[in-house]
């Protein structure tokens, strides 16, 4: 199973969150060693292609825009570090709260980050 996952990850034809879930499931079932899990997780994070998640992302972005419009019409001020939303598009400078900690997205300009600070720490910086 390890070799199959490694081949899929190397092909870059996967969605990161799903792949990390599969790796953890196989590890929990005893099909992967701790070392294999660590290696595959890092490889998956390093080779992830955000475009593999775009259909879902477009739908989510549309919903976010609708919610923002509703909040604007209600006069509600957006929170600077709202709770992290899985799959949401975060851009450089966006803030979120994840597992009780505040983070700022440091993805390169023009790049989108759809992963949590835990899943892809290279695109996040802890604040405060």
């Amino acid at each position: 199973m390890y070799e199959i996952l490694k081949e899929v990850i190397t092909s870059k034809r996967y969605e990161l969150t799903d792949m990390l879930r599969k790796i953890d499931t196989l590890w929990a079932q005893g099909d992967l060693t701790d070392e294999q899990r660590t290696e595959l997780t890092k490889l998956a994070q390093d080779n992830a292609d955000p475009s593999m998640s775009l259909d879902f992302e477009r739908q989510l972005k549309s919903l976010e825009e609708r919610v923002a419009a509703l909040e604007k019409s209600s006069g509600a001020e957006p929170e600077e570090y709202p709770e992290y939303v899985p799959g949401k598009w975060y851009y450089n400078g966006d803030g979120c709260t994840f597992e009780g900690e505040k983070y700022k997205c440091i993805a390169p300009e023009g790049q989108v980050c759809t992963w949590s600070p835990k899943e892809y720490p290279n695109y996040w910086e802890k604040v405060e």
Side-chain angles (χ1 to χ4, degrees):
M1 193 50 91
Y2 165 80
E3 291 298 328
I4 293 170
L5 284 177
K6 192 170 183 177
E7 186 175 319
V8 171
I9 292 169
T10 304
S11 76
K12 299 184 179 186
R13 297 175 65 180
Y14 61 93
E15 198 280 322
L16 180 62
T17 305
D18 289 341
M19 181 57 70
L20 294 176
R21 194 173 300 123
K22 287 174 188 167
I23 291 169
D24 284 343
T25 299
L26 290 169
W27 171 77
Q29 292 172 345
D31 295 328
L32 295 175
T33 66
D34 291 342
E35 293 80 21
Q36 289 172 328
R37 177 187 185 213
T38 300
E39 178 187 345
L40 290 174
T41 298
K42 175 142 181 44
L43 190 63
Q45 291 170 337
D46 291 346
N47 286 294
D49 179 359
S51 68
M52 295 302 293
S53 305
L54 290 182
D55 287 338
F56 172 75
E57 300 302 332
R58 285 188 191 119
Q59 293 173 356
L60 187 59
K61 187 167 178 80
S62 173
L63 287 173
E64 288 172 347
E65 289 168 356
R66 291 168 56 191
V67 168
L70 288 170
E71 287 175 344
K72 185 176 180 182
S73 68
S74 72
E77 289 293 319
E79 191 177 331
E80 189 173 359
Y81 294 96
E83 195 63 35
Y84 170 78
V85 177
K88 178 181 174 181
W89 285 23
Y90 290 93
Y91 294 93
N92 187 292
D94 288 345
C96 76
T97 300
F98 180 75
E99 295 182 350
E101 301 286 342
K102 293 181 181 179
Y103 291 88
K104 182 173 105 178
C105 181
I106 57 170
E109 287 295 329
Q111 292 285 339
V112 64
C113 181
T114 60
W115 309 294
S116 74
K118 181 178 180 181
E119 292 171 322
Y120 202 74
N122 294 346
Y123 276 16
W124 295 98
E125 178 178 83
K126 193 184 277 191
V127 294
E128 286 188 64

